[in-house]
Amino acid sequence: MEPIHNIFDTVTTVDIIILTLSILAAIAALVGTWMSRFWSVIAAYVSLCLLHLFPASGVVGGTLVFWGMAAVVATAIGLMLPPEIAGTRCGMPYITIGALAGTFTGLIISQAGMIIGAVVGAMCGAIAYSRTPAGAPLGFPSARFFNFTCAKGLPVAVTACMCGLVTISFINLLHP
């Protein structure tokens, strides 16, 4: 009987540190997203960059460029928002859970499905929030609702997608 080999048979201590930091950065990104912090997108991108340092992860340069541009756009949007809008946590649990559900549902299909799933999930989360008493002032089919969803939903969707990529890359490392 031939022994089972996996990627962790030849891993160094530095590789373990890189993988651990990548996972911690992804967790920090998700917590920051839940708390509506602009740095959450940056933390998710750092997580993806750290995973790129581990060659067997499958994260290539083109992926980093694409998600780097998305991170720049999402971070810029977060920084351009007025402080009273940027700092609010209203609806963030709904949008974050919706985006994560869409991300991991879309990952079943493909990476493009992951992106579409994250956007649709964030939109569904925003709609769910607008149906609560606290979210009623957004008035679902209105310009105010659309502005809220774009301002809060885009950074969440980008962060959720990058964390989804980190998760699927890590799973692929465990089960090659």
Side-chain angles (χ1 to χ4, degrees):
M1 184 170 197
E2 194 174 313
I4 298 174
H5 297 284
N6 67 18
I7 192 71
F8 293 108
D9 290 343
T10 58
V11 172
T12 66
T13 303
V14 174
D15 291 335
I16 292 172
I17 291 170
I18 289 171
L19 290 173
T20 303
L21 289 174
S22 178
I23 292 168
L24 290 175
I27 291 169
L30 292 175
V31 169
T33 299
W34 187 277
M35 298 173 61
S36 188
R37 301 290 188 244
F38 78 92
W39 52 261
S40 62
V41 178
I42 298 167
Y45 187 68
V46 166
S47 175
L48 204 57
C49 288
L50 285 170
L51 202 57
H52 175 70
L53 296 176
F54 193 76
S57 69
V59 177
V60 295
T63 302
L64 289 180
V65 170
F66 176 81
W67 288 109
M69 298 303 276
V72 166
V73 169
T75 303
I77 287 173
L79 292 174
M80 288 190 299
L81 291 173
E84 60 273 1
I85 294 173
T88 184
R89 294 183 192 169
C90 296
M92 291 309 292
Y94 291 90
I95 296 171
T96 304
I97 289 171
L100 286 173
T103 296
F104 289 108
T105 302
L107 268 174
I108 295 170
I109 301 167
S110 67
Q111 287 188 14
M114 171 192 66
I115 296 168
I116 294 168
V119 171
V120 169
M123 181 69 81
C124 289
I127 291 171
Y129 173 68
S130 73
R131 297 297 182 196
T132 65
L138 292 175
F140 167 51
S142 68
R144 185 173 182 169
F145 171 80
F146 182 73
N147 290 340
F148 171 79
T149 304
C150 289
K152 294 296 186 176
L154 179 66
V156 171
V158 170
T159 302
C161 286
M162 285 192 277
C163 289
L165 283 176
V166 168
T167 303
I168 201 70
S169 295
F170 190 71
I171 289 171
N172 287 338
L173 285 174
L174 292 175
H175 305 287

